[in-house]
Amino acid sequence: MDYFLNFKIISQQNKGDVIPTMDLKQNNKKYVSSKWKKTLVLINKLDLKKYIPETNKVSYESLNEMLEKHIVVYVKPSRGSSGKGVMKIQKRIQNEKTIYEIQNDLNIKSYYEYTTLYKDLDEHIKSSKRLHIVQKGIDMIKYNDCYADIRVMVQQNYQSEWEVTGILVRLSHPKKIVTNISSGGRVCDIDELLDHFCTNKNEKEALINTLKKVGVETAKQMNKAFPNIKENGIDIALDQKLYPWILEVNTKPDIIPFTRLKDKTIFEKMLEYRKALGKNYSLNQKEKKRKTIDKRRKWSISQSKSTTNIKVQHNSNYKPKKLKPIGKEFKRLKKKYSKKNLMIYDH
């Protein structure tokens, strides 16, 4: 049952906030995976609503309405991570005809009719068996020809107060629409990005303060609905006017990307706060996960590269190489096959 359909609205005097309240069992969640439910919590705080792009559940009518108002929208599964399943839908006019383009990872497909587009999209959504949401597309800033968004890490400190413990920038793969590292993205320092876009030091400091304020207010609002959530990773996009938009709130944020920053004290502080909350996070676990992410990133980048035809030159003097013994595996194979047959060829 979608408990947000049954929440009570409580007006707070002098603040103008409306806080959704749920039963105690549902409030005890330590993290929330549903993007739709997290959006409903945030839009009930007036000070945060202005930072949230228009968002709806996907339906034939809602998607069509969003495309009438916005040139670009993003469709994503309400539950999911690592940017998987995120699709970009763009509407444009060509030769006085409307064309809809949908991009999923590196695949781009065009439609001349909205009904055909939605039919294919609806089949995809039904096969995934997950609720999907549609969100207004933000004209995000680009750095070195890559989309850039900002991760603001907010944790409860030793005094149970919300504190911004780190900010980093995530840069997408040049051909992709998501900034996740596992999808070929990379990280850079927030100062490097803002030095490129801000005209002076005061503008830069003011923007960083705004990012911190949005991060803390978001964490507080989430904590009102879910008191057991003690840390949040807020993904924020900056549009061409450097206005911040909250794209997503991660209630189980990954802190591995912060190990890639030059300032190692940022990650160390996050680790200490996690330990204070009773979360074990060993360095061995960190290194193992980092290697896994690096492996996924390299695979993702290799998939995006165009294939090339390789010409093979035949050499009449070429001789096959005998397979070298490889422990027990070789002994097992030796019993089954003759040594003459155990040969490999270079191509």
Side-chain angles (χ1 to χ4, degrees):
M1 185 175 102
D2 194 343
Y3 51 79
F4 279 90
L5 296 178
N6 299 321
F7 63 63
K8 299 177 182 178
I9 302 298
I10 302 176
S11 297
Q12 292 189 347
Q13 294 181 356
N14 302 323
K15 292 186 178 181
D17 300 343
V18 285
I19 310 301
T21 60
M22 296 152 284
D23 62 63
L24 185 61
K25 182 179 180 181
Q26 289 160 333
N27 261 336
N28 283 338
K29 288 188 175 182
K30 293 184 178 180
Y31 66 93
V32 184
S33 58
S34 171
K35 297 178 180 67
W36 176 244
K37 292 175 181 178
K38 286 181 282 190
T39 300
L40 291 177
V41 170
L42 295 182
I43 63 176
N44 280 311
K45 184 174 178 63
L46 299 182
D47 291 342
L48 288 176
K49 190 175 182 179
K50 60 184 178 182
Y51 298 117
I52 301 172
E54 182 180 0
T55 307
N56 287 303
K57 291 182 180 180
V58 171
S59 68
Y60 182 91
E61 293 78 13
S62 67
L63 179 59
N64 191 33
E65 182 181 342
M66 291 279 278
L67 286 169
E68 288 294 327
K69 292 192 288 185
H70 311 294
I71 298 174
V72 176
V73 299
Y74 285 86
V75 173
K76 59 183 80 172
S78 181
R79 299 176 187 272
S81 60
S82 304
K84 295 177 182 177
V86 177
M87 293 169 280
K88 176 183 178 181
I89 303 178
Q90 184 171 356
K91 179 183 176 182
R92 59 187 179 87
I93 305 297
Q94 181 176 317
N95 298 328
E96 299 182 353
K97 291 184 178 180
T98 302
I99 298 177
Y100 301 92
E101 283 186 352
I102 181 168
Q103 180 178 355
N104 186 359
D105 198 34
L106 294 170
N107 303 314
I108 301 176
K109 193 173 182 180
S110 298
Y111 297 86
Y112 290 96
E113 298 289 340
Y114 172 74
T115 52
T116 309
L117 162 71
Y118 187 79
K119 180 181 178 182
D120 285 359
L121 179 64
D122 190 46
E123 289 178 358
H124 170 78
I125 292 175
K126 287 179 179 177
S127 64
S128 70
K129 297 180 180 180
R130 289 184 291 180
L131 169 70
H132 278 60
I133 59 175
V134 54
Q135 191 175 71
K136 167 191 171 183
I138 305 301
D139 188 12
M140 296 168 60
I141 58 174
K142 279 189 171 185
Y143 183 58
N144 292 336
D145 200 34
C146 300
Y147 288 111
D149 70 12
I150 299 167
R151 167 63 64 88
V152 179
M153 186 71 178
V154 189
Q155 296 173 284
Q156 280 194 353
N157 58 25
Y158 300 125
Q159 291 76 38
S160 297
E161 297 174 347
W162 289 103
E163 178 183 338
V164 175
T165 50
I167 302 177
L168 61 71
V169 178
R170 304 187 306 174
L171 301 175
S172 71
H173 182 280
K175 295 182 180 179
K176 296 192 176 184
I177 59 175
V178 295
T179 59
N180 303 79
I181 296 174
S182 57
S183 295
R186 59 188 179 88
V187 306
C188 80
D189 192 273
I190 183 66
D191 290 324
E192 180 183 341
L193 179 76
L194 297 188
D195 284 342
H196 181 77
F197 287 97
C198 295
T199 56
N200 55 63
K201 185 177 180 182
N202 291 336
E203 183 184 5
K204 173 183 168 182
E205 290 179 352
L207 183 52
I208 290 177
N209 288 334
T210 299
L211 293 173
K212 289 181 177 179
K213 180 181 178 182
V214 171
V216 170
E217 291 302 315
T218 299
K220 287 181 178 178
Q221 179 70 0
M222 289 296 297
N223 188 247
K224 288 176 182 177
F226 304 97
N228 284 334
I229 293 178
K230 305 300 181 182
E231 58 181 12
N232 294 270
I234 298 99
D235 294 335
I236 299 176
L238 298 178
D239 63 20
Q240 298 301 318
K241 296 181 180 179
L242 300 184
Y243 187 84
W245 295 92
I246 300 174
L247 299 179
E248 185 179 345
V249 179
N250 300 274
T251 56
K252 195 178 180 181
D254 183 12
I255 62 176
I256 290 296
F258 287 91
T259 63
R260 300 170 184 268
L261 297 178
K262 292 181 181 179
D263 187 356
K264 302 304 177 184
T265 60
I266 295 175
F267 175 78
E268 291 170 0
K269 190 173 189 178
M270 293 177 183
L271 205 57
E272 288 300 317
Y273 282 175
R274 280 199 166 183
K275 289 179 179 178
L277 295 172
K279 295 183 178 181
N280 295 322
Y281 202 83
S282 66
L283 292 178
N284 290 335
Q285 179 185 2
K286 170 184 75 89
E287 288 299 329
K288 184 177 180 181
K289 190 166 185 179
R290 178 172 177 171
K291 289 178 181 179
T292 302
I293 292 175
D294 284 337
K295 187 176 180 181
R296 290 178 181 174
R297 181 177 183 273
K298 290 178 181 178
W299 179 87
S300 180
I301 293 175
S302 67
Q303 290 294 102
S304 66
K305 294 181 179 179
S306 58
T307 57
T308 56
N309 295 324
I310 302 175
K311 294 183 179 180
V312 180
Q313 294 181 350
H314 298 281
N315 189 347
S316 58
N317 296 325
Y318 178 80
K319 294 181 179 180
K321 297 178 182 179
K322 290 185 178 181
L323 186 68
K324 295 180 181 180
I326 312 176
K328 295 181 180 180
E329 181 66 11
F330 179 78
K331 292 180 181 180
R332 186 184 69 79
L333 293 172
K334 186 178 179 181
K335 293 180 182 179
K336 189 173 182 180
Y337 303 99
S338 65
K339 196 172 183 179
K340 294 180 179 180
N341 292 332
L342 290 175
M343 310 178 87
I344 60 172
Y345 296 83
D346 292 333
H347 297 282

